[in-house]
Structures are given as structure tokens and as C-alpha cells.
Amino acid sequence: MKVWGISELDAYKAASLFSVRIENMRRDGRALRFTLKPTANKKWQRRSASSISPERKVNAICFHGHYHFMRELFRINENARIKTAFADYKGLAIFLDLAPQTGMINIGSRMYPVQMREACFCYESGDDYITPERVTAWDGSPDTTRELLRVAEMRQADMLACPHVIIDPAHYRSDGSCRCNDPTEQARLISEYDYKASDFPIACQNCGSNIQRCNCDHE
């Protein structure tokens, strides 16, 4: 995520308060860019959205953990801005109106839909709640909603075909193939997440496929 209007110290304090861990903190222009990960107590652990292995734990923070962390940032500065892969919250009012809708985005398949707010273990622990607040400064118009809340459909087969099962629409091409063999995408994932160069195949400069599987002459 990218955050404007919040100091590094305040971000770390919010993470500690809600039992999440900040990873790969760095400056990106005027914004802070970082990723949230589970702490040792595994609170806010996300689960797989796959119908094949729904109980598999994912090394990521669920919707509820992100919600409470971001709500604390807006408590510090109600004019802050938080941009994620799914939404762009420009201030507290927009966050309170849009965040519940973000939780209802389907990250499963069409046949076996899983809302983002369901892909976790929070129901079992009693943590599946968000603060019942609402601010009416934002007009809530559909056009504004579509502009700020980015909803994309992703096929489960495409995600399962990705070596890392990455849930990010930007990671997939228009034909559904993942971009794990794209050097530019590899650099983005290494920069923004916890991947290493060794996690990705080497792409052939001729055909773009895994160099170990293509039929090109590399002599």
C-alpha cells in the first residue's frame, strides 16, 4: 500500500497497536510504501480464496486487519490518503463509505465466490467486525465510487496457474497468463512484496517464456 500524510513513526505505532508487521518500508515520492504481514501471534491471518484448499494459510493480512490498521491512520490524520490494489481512500469520509464495499469484492472464482472479508479466520476468533461509523461529507455518487473503488474479475484458473497464486489484477495479462516471467513485473514484486529474484523463472528474450522450457536457440 501507499500512504500519504502519515509519518513512518505513526505507521509503525499503528502496526504495533493492531498486531501487524510492516515490511519493506520505503519512501516513494511524498508517500510511504510498505506491505503488511502477520506477526508471530498470527492475528489477522489471511486464508486462501481457492475452493481446492480454502483452509491454506497465506502469508498476508486479511481485510479486517487492513481495515483496523488503516482506520488508525485516519484517526491520526483524517486527511491522509491510502492507496491499495483495490481502492484509493482519499480521506476519512471516503474510507468509511468505501471500505465495507471493498470487503465484498470477490477474490475467488465465479463458480466458488469468496468475498475479501471472508478469506480469513476472523469469524472463528470473533474478530470479523469493522467499526460502525459513517461520515457524510462524501456524496457517495456511483461515478465517484467507480473512480475510487477498482473492481476487477479474475479467473481462479489463471490465479492457480501462477506459480505464486498472486491475487492482483495487475499481475495478469489480458489473455489471463501471469507475468512471473516479465522482468519488469519481477522487479515490482521484489520491490513491493517479499519475493526474491530466485523465486522467478528467467524469461527468454526471444519468446518471453521460461528459458528452460522454450525451443529457442540460446547459443
Side-chain angles (χ1 to χ4, degrees):
M1 71 173 64
K2 291 179 68 173
V3 177
W4 290 260
I6 295 292
S7 69
E8 291 188 26
L9 179 59
D10 283 335
Y12 280 114
K13 285 182 178 179
S16 176
L17 182 63
F18 288 99
S19 297
V20 296
R21 176 170 55 88
I22 289 180
E23 189 171 275
N24 198 15
M25 168 75 80
R26 71 270 193 204
R27 281 282 173 185
D28 187 349
R30 296 181 179 179
L32 296 176
R33 184 189 288 270
F34 53 85
T35 304
L36 296 185
K37 294 289 184 179
T39 58
N41 65 14
K42 301 299 180 182
K43 188 177 179 63
W44 316 117
Q45 176 85 54
R46 199 174 76 75
R47 76 167 85 205
S48 172
S50 167
S51 61
I52 299 175
S53 54
E55 297 302 314
R56 180 172 62 86
K57 295 181 179 180
V58 179
N59 185 29
I61 294 297
C62 71
F63 164 75
H64 303 99
H66 275 94
Y67 180 93
H68 290 291
F69 171 79
M70 290 189 288
R71 179 64 185 91
E72 176 62 15
L73 296 188
F74 283 118
R75 186 194 66 78
I76 296 169
N77 179 8
E78 66 178 24
N79 295 313
R81 177 186 177 190
I82 302 175
K83 187 175 183 179
T84 73
F86 296 95
D88 191 352
Y89 303 121
K90 299 179 180 179
L92 174 63
I94 291 177
F95 171 75
L96 294 178
D97 277 314
L98 281 185
Q101 298 179 52
T102 308
M104 293 186 284
I105 292 176
N106 176 28
I107 58 174
S109 65
R110 289 186 179 182
M111 185 173 294
Y112 300 102
V114 177
Q115 292 185 4
M116 191 184 301
R117 62 182 180 178
E118 298 172 333
C120 57
F121 302 89
C122 291
Y123 176 78
E124 291 88 335
S125 62
D127 293 321
D128 59 329
Y129 65 93
I130 59 176
T131 310
E133 302 173 274
R134 187 172 182 84
V135 176
T136 58
W138 175 54
D139 63 10
S141 65
D143 289 339
T144 308
T145 300
R146 282 193 291 270
E147 177 185 348
L148 300 174
L149 186 63
R150 296 183 296 279
V151 179
E153 289 189 353
M154 299 170 61
R155 294 197 313 162
Q156 186 181 54
D158 295 337
M159 288 188 288
L160 293 179
C162 171
H164 301 290
V165 195
I166 294 174
I167 304 177
D168 182 351
H171 182 66
Y172 298 87
R173 302 182 179 92
S174 58
D175 63 358
S177 62
C178 80
R179 297 171 55 206
C180 279
N181 62 352
D182 181 341
T184 301
E185 176 68 354
Q186 293 174 7
R188 182 181 78 88
L189 294 174
I190 292 171
S191 172
E192 296 185 12
Y193 301 99
D194 58 346
Y195 293 99
K196 303 181 293 294
S198 59
D199 292 328
F200 302 103
I202 299 175
C204 172
Q205 295 183 356
N206 295 327
C207 66
S209 62
N210 189 331
I211 198 171
Q212 297 178 343
R213 299 179 182 177
C214 73
N215 297 318
C216 297
D217 184 1
H218 300 109
E219 294 286 332

